[in-house]
Amino acid sequence: MTESTEKMTGARALIECLYREGVDTIFGYPGGVLLPIYDEIYDADIRHILVRHEQAAAHAAEGYARATGKTGVCIATSGPGATNLVTGIANAYMDSIPMVVFTGQVPSSLLGNDAFQEANITGITMPITKHNYLVQDANELPKVIKEAFHIASTGRPGPVLIDLPKDITVQEIDFYYPDKVDLRGYKPTYQGNLQQVKRAASAIKESKNPVIYAGGGVISSDASKELIELAEKIKAPVTTTLTGMGGFPVEHELFLGMPGMHGAKYANYAIQESDLLIAVGARFDDRVTGKLKAFASNAKIIHIDIDPAEISKNVKVDVPIVGDAKWTLQKLLKYAEPAQSEKWLDRIAHWKKVHPLHYVEPATGDGIKPQYIIEQITEACKDAIIVTEVGQHQMWAAQYFKFSEPRTFITSGGLGTMGYGFPASIGAKIARPDKVVFDIAGDGSFQMNSQELATAVQENVPVIVAVFNNGYLGMVRQWQELFHNRRYSATCIQNSVDFVKLAEAYGALGLRATKRDEVRPAIEEAIASGRPTVIDFVVEEEENVSPMVPAGAAINEILDLERKE
Amino acid sequence: MRHTLAVLVENKYGVLSRVAGMFSRRGYNIDSLTVGVTDDPTISRMTIVVMGDDEVLEQVTKQLNKLIDVIRVTDLKSEESVDRELALIKVNSDVTNRSEIMQIADIFRARIIDVASKSMIIEVTGDDGKITAIEQLLRPFGIKEMVRTGKVALRRGQKSS
């Protein structure tokens, strides 16, 4: 295929490449070495969202990617701009989210000179990117960008960084965009081995206590429909990890909830008693498995994953299938027959009845239990996109929101990044303006990136931040209560800020609920306002996330932590 | 257990640091590592000797394959491959023991590549055992300095592609 070439600068070529990749939105912050690129962005047909801190650009691009499945794009300048992206890049890497990150760099002639605002960002991000590039010739730029989008979005997705020395952006090139990528060292396997699929099918047929354990891979390969069909066909209950949440409807009778540290008891019991564990796009994270030696120790394990390096990394696998979750589940559906699970499903129904997720309402007074807020958000807006920060509120959101479709739960799973949720919710809302988007936040987490209220207001992005204000860094406080004799070292943050006034200072809507019966009206008012909103929910201070498996314990060694009045 | 991996990589800026970084990040130990360009100038070949059991080897291989710039990883099992290492050993010597040292070098088919009044440098090529053996024999004379290249290895017979 030939395409006529055209002379243009590297900066112009960058924009042309983004058009060809179908990029409609980028999140960024300008700086000295980016001037030629920002001059092109000025009249490009791409929406640029100006954040107030580069970390937010990376999180917002990730939120955009998670809400749509498209590759998120962000850009920051050299030196501190680039290093401020690092947390966001690491977050996307841990949760396997497709992202292309552009960073400005000092001119090639100054590289390695400790020049003003120079940082070796390709070196810094090597362990937290799927791949990265330092562009050394503008003629290479289109090929590099083509490869970057390909690498970011295929196989096990992840962030790819492109570092752009300033001289590259002003260099004139003959623009030509390749239509194919050929990387001899990168050929992800999509189609699993059929023999292995058949082995998995016969293991299913023989099993009496099967459990499907599905992770974020189900979301990224768009395999939710196949997952539901398989569970129904083989009659196996399904537990989804934190990042897999939304991949299986919460209200489906075969749903077990989340496994692991703050998982439902019946999910953990089911895994421990299973004779066949079918892992799909999940990576046996320590927060799921607890004590590895005691994890599902009687189960045969089938592991479907597109990344061969995940197979038998933590848990020895009996039937490994390297392949795309959607493709593999489709094939498995063809060969699989029902398991012999009638009695098993009865046992699980019994566990669900005896050990439901629950919390204790305040006996007297009208205090707000945090779990109650999640229930009220579910009732008010069941098809909302729920984004979270990291901590107790995140676990309550995962436990109590009734997700019914994929890409509606956006949370920092692997890295556990406080400050992630608000910028990610801005990205999600820009991607899905038709959806109501909530950022479920703690008073600690929200303060890590609350400056993005300026972005939300300026760009008119009506996300709703629900601050679960308990005056503590709650999850750490919970561990201090349990394991450090209630010595609340550096976790009390009471009265740090008036969140209503903070919202108003930025021109956003600020609401407050201090009583139980104010919760629902505040939620309704926020949704109806169509404005960026912060709701300050003043909740019970020392509520704990329950149940809980202490770190290092087996997942059936579960603590009940409901706070009785 | 010691494994020898032949790793074909893109001959590009930063690849060595990607490979070395992966090893250190995941806590794998590199016994030795050599790099050089192959008959195809766009491809370099690394020979990496790594310690670990079969599970470690499997993970190392998979993690190497995850790097975009890694083209192929081959486990060179000792019975199917040949390997060599080169060492330069600077040993104390004077007129009284020069001929004795030269005899030792002869036995190992090593070469004297520099002679000075108080020392000489011996070049020896061989597998790990041979180099260790000559090192031990020369030690009583006093080894002033020594450098080893690390192992290079090839599979026997046809090209491993």
Side-chain angles (χ1 to χ4, degrees):
Chain A
M1 231 186 91
T2 53
E3 195 183 327
S4 57
T5 59
E6 197 187 329
K7 277 213 180 308
M8 61 179 74
T9 62
R12 178 73 213 155
L14 167 64
I15 304 294
E16 288 294 330
C17 294
L18 294 181
Y19 287 158
R20 280 162 175 75
E21 290 297 330
V23 175
D24 53 21
T25 309
I26 58 178
F27 301 87
Y29 203 99
V33 297
L34 288 183
L35 282 165
I37 293 175
Y38 269 85
D39 195 58
E40 292 293 341
I41 288 174
Y42 191 63
D43 37 34
D45 194 13
I46 291 176
R47 184 172 182 193
H48 176 271
I49 304 294
L50 175 66
V51 293
R52 294 303 186 274
H53 186 297
E54 290 91 347
Q55 184 191 349
H59 291 328
E62 198 192 310
Y64 179 94
R66 287 174 108 137
T68 56
K70 289 169 66 178
T71 300
V73 181
C74 61
I75 182 165
T77 194
S78 64
T83 56
N84 276 344
L85 292 173
V86 166
T87 304
I89 296 169
N91 197 86
Y93 185 69
M94 288 288 268
D95 286 349
S96 309
I97 305 302
M99 213 157 91
V100 172
V101 179
F102 293 96
T103 49
Q105 183 55 279
V106 301
S108 306
S109 58
L110 292 179
L111 272 173
N113 262 352
D114 303 320
F116 177 65
Q117 291 193 330
E118 179 183 359
N120 173 10
I121 197 64
T122 46
I124 290 169
T125 58
M126 221 172 252
I128 54 165
T129 49
K130 189 169 170 186
H131 195 53
N132 64 22
Y133 295 89
L134 170 64
V135 181
Q136 288 166 309
D137 177 355
N139 289 297
E140 293 281 300
L141 185 59
K143 178 171 167 279
V144 164
I145 294 177
K146 179 83 190 175
E147 286 179 7
F149 276 89
H150 175 71
I151 292 169
S153 61
T154 54
R156 178 178 182 173
V160 178
L161 180 140
I162 302 174
D163 200 20
L164 298 164
K166 187 174 184 181
D167 52 308
I168 298 295
T169 65
V170 294
Q171 185 190 334
E172 279 243 320
I173 62 164
D174 289 321
F175 180 80
Y176 166 69
Y177 202 59
D179 50 20
K180 269 206 208 84
V181 171
D182 183 29
L183 291 158
R184 53 190 167 184
Y186 178 70
K187 306 259 190 271
T189 307
Y190 279 80
Q191 305 193 350
N193 182 314
L194 268 185
Q195 279 315 109
Q196 293 293 84
V197 172
K198 287 177 189 166
R199 277 185 65 204
S202 63
I204 289 168
K205 194 179 167 189
E206 283 161 25
S207 83
K208 295 190 168 65
N209 303 357
V211 171
I212 299 174
Y213 150 53
V218 168
I219 311 287
S220 53
S221 86
D222 189 23
S224 180
K225 184 173 145 276
E226 288 77 6
L227 178 66
I228 297 166
E229 283 175 23
L230 182 74
E232 289 172 350
K233 179 163 186 192
I234 68 172
K235 301 190 182 351
V238 177
T239 174
T240 57
T241 66
L242 188 66
T243 48
M245 203 58 73
F248 197 83
V250 169
E251 289 178 314
H252 194 292
E253 60 174 354
L254 288 170
F255 190 59
L256 282 174
M258 183 170 70
M261 183 173 275
H262 293 296
K265 281 188 186 173
Y266 41 88
N268 288 349
Y269 291 156
I271 288 173
Q272 295 299 70
E273 300 277 313
S274 65
D275 65 352
L276 179 69
L277 189 66
I278 307 162
V280 189
R283 59 186 178 88
F284 297 87
D285 178 79
D286 57 278
R287 285 295 191 264
V288 166
T289 62
K291 188 180 179 184
L292 262 180
K293 279 208 177 112
F295 179 75
S297 44
N298 301 317
K300 200 173 202 181
I301 294 179
I302 299 171
H303 191 180
I304 301 167
D305 205 292
I306 200 157
D307 180 359
E310 286 303 335
I311 309 275
S312 293
K313 185 180 85 177
N314 297 334
V315 168
K316 189 93 185 73
V317 171
D318 301 288
V319 186
I321 308 177
V322 175
D324 173 53
K326 191 183 184 78
W327 188 92
T328 309
L329 289 179
Q330 280 170 350
K331 288 290 172 249
L332 195 50
L333 265 168
K334 206 168 128 194
Y335 295 107
E337 291 174 52
Q340 305 154 39
S341 59
E342 294 80 23
K343 281 185 193 156
W344 175 237
L345 293 178
D346 289 345
R347 266 181 91 188
I348 285 168
H350 174 73
W351 280 331
K352 280 185 169 177
K353 200 181 280 174
V354 181
H355 306 288
L357 273 175
H358 76 292
Y359 62 95
V360 180
E361 281 292 357
T364 53
D366 43 15
I368 303 173
K369 286 279 181 158
Q371 301 90 334
Y372 175 76
I373 304 170
I374 305 287
E375 290 175 340
Q376 289 302 306
I377 292 174
T378 303
E379 275 185 30
C381 198
K382 206 180 148 209
D383 64 348
I385 292 179
I386 301 297
V387 187
T388 80
E389 308 283 345
V390 166
Q392 289 184 308
H393 60 274
Q394 176 190 30
M395 293 297 110
W396 287 316
Q399 290 176 331
Y400 288 92
F401 195 85
K402 300 206 175 347
F403 299 98
S404 52
E405 51 180 315
R407 304 201 177 281
T408 56
F409 189 50
I410 296 175
T411 195
S412 168
L415 196 66
T417 309
M418 291 173 69
Y420 168 82
F422 183 37
S425 70
I426 292 173
K429 180 71 184 174
I430 286 167
R432 294 296 307 271
D434 55 315
K435 288 273 195 183
V436 174
V437 177
F438 277 90
D439 171 35
I440 307 296
D443 45 331
S445 285
F446 179 53
Q447 288 186 71
M448 282 206 182
N449 268 321
S450 59
Q451 79 284 343
E452 296 308 316
L453 279 166
T455 307
V457 170
Q458 186 184 359
E459 297 285 344
N460 190 24
V461 187
V463 296
I464 303 166
V465 184
V467 180
F468 286 36
N469 186 354
N470 57 10
Y472 283 103
L473 304 176
M475 188 59 95
V476 182
R477 185 209 55 75
Q478 175 170 338
W479 284 52
Q480 287 172 335
E481 176 187 334
L482 294 170
F483 310 118
H484 295 272
N485 298 321
R486 297 191 65 161
R487 288 156 55 84
Y488 292 161
S489 177
T491 46
C492 180
I493 53 169
Q494 279 160 11
N495 307 317
S496 32
V497 67
D498 180 329
F499 288 106
V500 173
K501 284 187 183 156
L502 181 73
E504 286 167 357
Y506 281 105
L509 176 63
L511 303 171
R512 177 170 289 124
T514 56
K515 299 192 190 92
R516 188 182 151 89
D517 59 8
E518 293 169 358
V519 170
R520 186 63 175 270
I523 293 168
E524 301 286 358
E525 186 181 346
I527 295 173
S529 76
R531 293 172 58 195
T533 304
V534 178
I535 313 176
D536 181 18
F537 290 108
V538 180
V539 298
E540 298 276 301
E541 284 180 3
E542 295 189 53
E543 182 69 9
N544 286 327
V545 178
S546 179
M548 177 178 187
V549 177
I555 57 169
N556 50 350
E557 295 167 25
I558 305 172
L559 305 178
D560 270 315
L561 302 171
E562 289 99 15
R563 183 84 61 198
K564 313 267 187 314
E565 295 302 314
Chain B
M1 212 187 132
R2 204 173 252 142
H3 301 275
T4 306
L5 297 177
V7 185
L8 294 183
V9 299
E10 297 287 345
N11 182 11
K12 274 190 204 161
Y13 152 98
V15 177
L16 176 59
S17 114
R18 286 180 206 283
V19 169
M22 189 283 288
F23 273 83
S24 64
R25 180 165 79 93
R26 300 218 174 246
Y28 305 130
N29 273 322
I30 299 179
D31 243 36
S32 79
L33 186 156
T34 63
V35 201
V37 71
T38 63
D39 54 322
D40 176 345
T42 66
I43 297 178
S44 291
R45 181 177 173 113
M46 295 184 178
T47 307
I48 304 176
V49 180
V50 58
M51 291 289 290
D53 55 22
D54 288 350
E55 277 162 30
V56 168
L57 180 74
E58 186 186 333
Q59 264 300 311
V60 166
T61 306
K62 286 171 167 178
Q63 294 294 344
L64 280 168
N65 273 316
K66 267 180 90 161
L67 299 174
I68 309 287
D69 286 336
V70 168
I71 301 164
R72 195 173 60 245
V73 182
T74 315
D75 177 19
L76 295 175
K77 300 201 171 60
S78 57
E79 61 275 19
E80 296 163 9
S81 59
V82 288
D83 62 76
R84 288 294 179 269
E85 190 174 0
L86 182 145
L88 300 178
I89 306 169
K90 188 194 282 174
V91 62
N92 284 324
S93 81
D94 52 30
V95 286
T96 65
N97 58 16
R98 193 168 289 151
S99 59
E100 194 184 341
I101 291 172
M102 286 169 73
Q103 274 181 10
I104 292 172
D106 237 22
I107 294 166
F108 283 87
R109 289 189 221 163
R111 301 198 303 154
I112 312 294
I113 54 172
D114 181 67
V115 181
S117 61
K118 293 207 170 119
S119 68
M120 51 189 184
I121 298 178
I122 296 163
E123 172 204 313
V124 59
T125 305
D127 60 16
D128 189 56
K130 179 175 170 185
I131 290 171
T132 310
I134 191 171
E135 183 194 344
Q136 272 167 5
L137 283 174
L138 292 173
R139 195 168 290 280
F141 301 97
I143 293 175
K144 292 167 80 93
E145 267 185 282
M146 175 168 173
V147 58
R148 296 171 72 149
T149 56
K151 194 196 274 188
V152 291
L154 280 181
R155 182 173 280 184
R156 295 173 191 271
Q158 76 232 65
K159 193 171 176 181
S160 53
S161 61

